[in-house]
Amino acid sequence: MRTLINATLIAAVLASPLAWAQDGSPVGLWKTIDDSSGKPTALIRITENHGELTGKIEKLFRAPDEDQNPKCQLCTDARKDQPILGMTIVSGLKKTGDEYTGGEILDPKNGKVYKSKLTVRDGGKKVEVRGFIGMPMFGRSQVWLRQE
């Protein structure tokens, strides 16, 4: 009986990331793709705490000749000159209907912070992240790919 209970608990723990993906939650690990080159740029870990999403850079995909631990030199807030690796770049997103809105996203390349919204696509396999100034129509979107 104890073996059955342990096996059930282990199965539940192992299946939990799958459950997130199937229910369309944005919680998990996401690969970002550069708009112009089409190459991966980073892995972002999105977590949820009290209904609010946060995203941190977990890995950077950098060429061997590039700085492997760059700092956000163009940031103008508390993140100025801080390492980009481990940096929170998505914050404040809360579920509103089928989207997550009301948050902000930092572009570490230019140091600018934009309003943001996030929409889960393809049953949780992709998220569309939109950064904008003022209204969502004045911005740009990226599609991130689930990695787990």
Side-chain angles (χ1 to χ4, degrees):
M1 184 69 165
R2 179 170 277 190
T3 305
L4 179 60
I5 292 171
N6 287 341
T8 303
L9 289 173
I10 290 169
V13 169
L14 293 175
S16 61
L18 257 180
W20 281 111
Q22 289 171 350
D23 76 0
S25 169
V27 171
L29 189 63
W30 299 92
K31 184 187 297 183
T32 64
I33 308 295
D34 183 80
D35 296 343
S36 53
S37 72
K39 293 181 180 179
T41 55
L43 293 178
I44 311 295
R45 171 85 52 193
I46 295 180
T47 58
E48 183 177 0
N49 189 18
H50 300 293
E52 185 173 302
L53 298 180
T54 302
K56 287 187 178 188
I57 297 178
E58 197 165 281
K59 179 178 181 174
L60 295 171
F61 296 102
R62 312 272 296 171
D65 62 335
E66 292 181 297
D67 182 357
Q68 297 302 305
N69 193 22
K71 298 191 178 359
C72 194
Q73 296 173 337
L74 298 176
C75 287
T76 58
D77 58 13
R79 295 172 279 202
K80 179 158 182 63
D81 295 325
Q82 297 301 309
I84 293 173
L85 193 61
M87 184 174 282
T88 298
I89 64 163
V90 176
S91 61
L93 289 168
K94 294 183 179 177
K95 189 161 179 64
T96 309
D98 291 338
E99 297 181 322
Y100 292 80
T101 61
E104 295 182 334
I105 188 165
L106 166 73
D107 183 345
K109 287 183 185 176
N110 63 22
K112 293 183 181 177
V113 177
Y114 302 94
K115 292 181 181 179
S116 69
K117 71 177 196 167
L118 180 147
T119 308
V120 179
R121 303 273 187 226
D122 292 343
K125 294 178 186 172
K126 299 177 182 178
V127 290
E128 180 180 325
V129 181
R130 184 154 186 86
F132 57 92
I133 298 172
M135 298 179 7
M137 62 192 298
F138 302 114
R140 109 190 148 136
S141 294
Q142 271 192 341
V143 175
W144 297 356
L145 309 173
R146 185 176 294 278
Q147 294 303 293
E148 51 178 42

